């Protein structure tokens, strides 16, 4: 039986980059209700230079403010929609 290996089964060197961005955004959060704006997320991502595919995920965020949980849900939804979970990892 042959195994199929595609582009979405190999871990990228950028695996975990979005998790690092999320961790940095909420490093000083003193409550679960702390929220960041979409622009904050985009600027943090641009500073981290995650590559074009991960920037595409970040740019898919709708305008608004995000608690950590809501941001993770939104990012994971986009990651899952692209089938990139194994490639780039999900966030929590």
């Amino acid at each position: 039986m042959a195994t199929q290996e595609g582009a979405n089964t190999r871990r990228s060197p950028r695996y975990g980059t979005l998790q690092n961005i999320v961790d940095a955004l909420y490093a000083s959060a003193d409550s679960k209700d702390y929220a960041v704006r979409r622009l904050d997320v985009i600027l943090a991502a641009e500073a981290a230079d995650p590559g074009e595919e991960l920037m595409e995920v970040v740019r898919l965020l709708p305008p608004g403010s995000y608690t950590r949980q809501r941001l993770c849900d939104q990012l994971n939804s986009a990651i899952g929609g692209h089938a990139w979970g194994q490639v780039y990892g999900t966030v929590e």
Side-chain angles (χ1 to χ4, degrees):
M1 183 167 156
T3 60
Q4 292 186 2
E5 287 195 35
N8 288 353
T9 60
R10 293 197 181 126
R11 188 174 278 191
S12 167
R14 295 175 191 257
Y15 186 93
T17 299
L18 285 179
Q19 183 65 57
N20 294 338
I21 292 168
V22 170
D23 289 344
L25 284 166
Y26 294 93
S28 64
D30 55 0
S31 78
K32 287 175 35 175
D33 296 326
Y34 178 79
V36 296
R37 295 171 299 156
R38 177 183 185 264
L39 181 59
D40 298 325
V41 180
I42 290 172
L43 292 175
E46 286 177 351
D49 191 25
E52 193 54 40
E53 288 181 336
L54 290 177
M55 278 307 301
E56 179 182 335
V57 168
V58 172
R59 288 186 193 115
L60 288 172
L61 289 171
S65 294
Y66 294 88
T67 61
R68 184 180 183 119
Q69 185 60 55
R70 182 168 177 240
L71 177 62
C72 291
D73 290 346
Q74 288 286 332
L75 292 174
N76 286 336
S77 178
I79 291 166
H82 285 87
W84 287 339
Q86 290 182 23
V87 179
Y88 296 115
T90 55
V91 293
E92 45 183 62

